[in-house]
Amino acid sequence: MNAGRGDEDHLAAGGPAQHIPVLRDEVLAIAAPREGGLYLDATFGAGGYSRALLATPGARVLALDRDPAAIAAGASLAAEAHGRLFLVEARFSQLTEVAQRLDLGDFDAVVLDIGVSSMQIDDAARGFSFRGDGPLDMRMQQAGTSAADIVNTADEATLADILYHFGEERASRRIARAIVLDRARAPFTSTAALAGMIARVAPGKPGEMHPATRSFQALRIAVNDELGELVEALAAAEAVLKSGGRLVIVTFHSLEDRIVKQFFAERSGRGEAPSRRLPGEPAPAAPTFRVVGKQPLTPSAAEVATNPRARSAKLRHAERTAAPPRPASADLMALARLPQRAAKGR
């Protein structure tokens, strides 16, 4: 799912876009593919990053995607790669298990491009966008709880929390209240119906993004547990990278970027002050990553002009040390979950 991903103004909207790998040149410069190297594209999508990595003779790529449509569309690239591309339907939080099952390890680089792909946005039948009417779905795996299920069954407080914390929607309470009132008359089943209701109760100003954009982002994140998946994927990538391997992550909104930034700070020991430790206080774990250079990297004006959906992209990266991997921290996982009744006072 790495191509042409949407930014915060286009997460649920926008016309068709080419499937262009965002920040491709920067990703390749950091991943530094070499002959015989082993790479993991944890968000395959239209295969843009995988294809670029495979352009290096002898390079091998394990590519994952939770969307069966992306896996099916990637079959031709797998055939072209003649055994150098291992294409697997799986969530990126499962990358450790998949690598072990295929007896692959010590990756030279792991690339993650977080969020929804242009293919998903542009297909009205998937229910990610409100520009073309479609079923209120948003499931990347095309199975499990849908956006319609959440909208039509969650209580008002939970809906408000989802919209506020996953969409940063200021009118979350007003929208949640309207959802509950309207669904009592008829359940929400289409993207147009929900977007129209949101525009009615929380209209935006002329020239601003569509008033339903943040709510659609929030529902998509909740449906697919995107932030929880990201936290688990970061720890999993740490476990499969070899010493000196690179972890390269492209995000598209502040919630994702905050998690990645905190992960790298935590794993690199940034902010630690050993001399200030209390007597008997245990020493911190050895850093598992080195963060170098000015970050985040962002798209050039030329790239944004070619692919407007790239405009909010941020790239962060780090190099793996030889320190043992660690499980995902509780602090990071807390960023991916709804606070308990944090809606009070909003």
Side-chain angles (χ1 to χ4, degrees), residues 160-205:
D161 277 354
I162 288 172
L163 301 182
Y164 184 77
H165 291 286
F166 294 159
E168 300 176 304
E169 173 54 70
R170 295 178 183 177
S172 57
R173 281 190 167 186
R174 193 188 326 158
I175 295 170
R177 190 176 303 117
I179 287 173
V180 172
L181 288 172
D182 283 16
R183 76 188 186 191
R185 291 188 289 271
F188 287 94
T189 59
S190 75
T191 57
L194 180 61
M197 184 280 292
I198 293 172
R200 186 184 77 244
V201 302
K205 296 178 181 179

Side-chain angles (χ1 to χ4, degrees), residues 146-170:
S146 69
D149 294 329
I150 293 175
V151 166
N152 292 314
T153 63
D155 60 63
E156 182 179 326
T158 299
L159 285 170
D161 277 354
I162 288 172
L163 301 182
Y164 184 77
H165 291 286
F166 294 159
E168 300 176 304
E169 173 54 70
R170 295 178 183 177

Side-chain angles (χ1 to χ4, degrees), residues 58 74 96 136 146 174 205 239 256-257 280 285 306:
T96 303
L136 191 58
S146 69
R174 193 188 326 158
K205 296 178 181 179
E256 298 165 345
D257 184 59
T306 302

Side-chain angles (χ1 to χ4, degrees), residues 239-295:
V240 302
L241 278 166
K242 71 178 186 181
S243 178
R246 310 285 178 79
L247 177 54
V248 190
I249 306 166
V250 179
T251 62
F252 289 86
H253 61 72
S254 59
L255 301 177
E256 298 165 345
D257 184 59
R258 179 177 61 175
I259 287 173
V260 175
K261 182 179 179 179
Q262 183 162 321
F263 173 80
F264 281 148
E266 175 187 285
R267 295 311 220 238
S268 65
R270 189 175 294 175
E272 290 285 347
S275 62
R276 297 182 181 179
R277 295 195 167 274
L278 297 173
E281 186 177 357
T288 55
F289 282 99
R290 286 185 292 270
V291 178
V292 296
K294 186 177 179 180
Q295 300 191 33

Side-chain angles (χ1 to χ4, degrees), residues 49-313:
Y49 291 136
S50 288
R51 186 180 295 276
L53 291 166
L54 289 166
T56 297
R60 295 178 297 152
V61 176
L62 169 59
L64 312 181
D65 204 296
R66 68 195 294 182
D67 189 338
I71 298 299
S76 59
L77 179 58
E80 292 172 19
H82 300 293
R84 293 193 294 127
L85 174 61
F86 308 89
L87 187 56
V88 180
E89 182 181 333
R91 301 190 305 275
F92 47 64
S93 64
Q94 299 171 311
L95 64 88
T96 303
E97 293 89 335
V98 173
Q100 289 175 344
R101 187 171 74 241
L102 296 176
D103 197 24
L104 298 173
D106 292 332
F107 286 85
D108 291 280
V110 174
V111 179
L112 294 112
D113 184 5
I114 312 302
V116 65
S117 73
S118 289
M119 296 181 301
Q120 292 164 333
I121 291 175
D122 295 337
D123 184 355
R126 301 297 301 275
F128 288 97
S129 171
F130 46 74
R131 295 304 189 196
D133 193 17
L136 191 58
D137 194 326
M138 304 190 191
R139 296 172 298 177
M140 292 179 179
Q141 288 180 263
Q142 302 185 34
T145 301
S146 69
D149 294 329
I150 293 175
V151 166
N152 292 314
T153 63
D155 60 63
E156 182 179 326
T158 299
L159 285 170
D161 277 354
I162 288 172
L163 301 182
Y164 184 77
H165 291 286
F166 294 159
E168 300 176 304
E169 173 54 70
R170 295 178 183 177
S172 57
R173 281 190 167 186
R174 193 188 326 158
I175 295 170
R177 190 176 303 117
I179 287 173
V180 172
L181 288 172
D182 283 16
R183 76 188 186 191
R185 291 188 289 271
F188 287 94
T189 59
S190 75
T191 57
L194 180 61
M197 184 280 292
I198 293 172
R200 186 184 77 244
V201 302
K205 296 178 181 179
E208 292 185 342
M209 66 183 181
H210 192 285
T213 300
R214 294 190 185 279
S215 294
F216 270 57
Q217 170 189 297
L219 288 169
R220 192 202 78 225
I221 289 173
V223 166
N224 298 290
D225 187 26
E226 291 180 31
L227 301 184
E229 282 285 310
L230 173 57
V231 171
E232 293 182 18
L234 293 171
E238 180 181 273
V240 302
L241 278 166
K242 71 178 186 181
S243 178
R246 310 285 178 79
L247 177 54
V248 190
I249 306 166
V250 179
T251 62
F252 289 86
H253 61 72
S254 59
L255 301 177
E256 298 165 345
D257 184 59
R258 179 177 61 175
I259 287 173
V260 175
K261 182 179 179 179
Q262 183 162 321
F263 173 80
F264 281 148
E266 175 187 285
R267 295 311 220 238
S268 65
R270 189 175 294 175
E272 290 285 347
S275 62
R276 297 182 181 179
R277 295 195 167 274
L278 297 173
E281 186 177 357
T288 55
F289 282 99
R290 286 185 292 270
V291 178
V292 296
K294 186 177 179 180
Q295 300 191 33
L297 304 180
T298 56
S300 66
E303 179 171 1
V304 172
T306 302
N307 181 15
R309 287 178 175 169
R311 69 175 140 185
S312 65

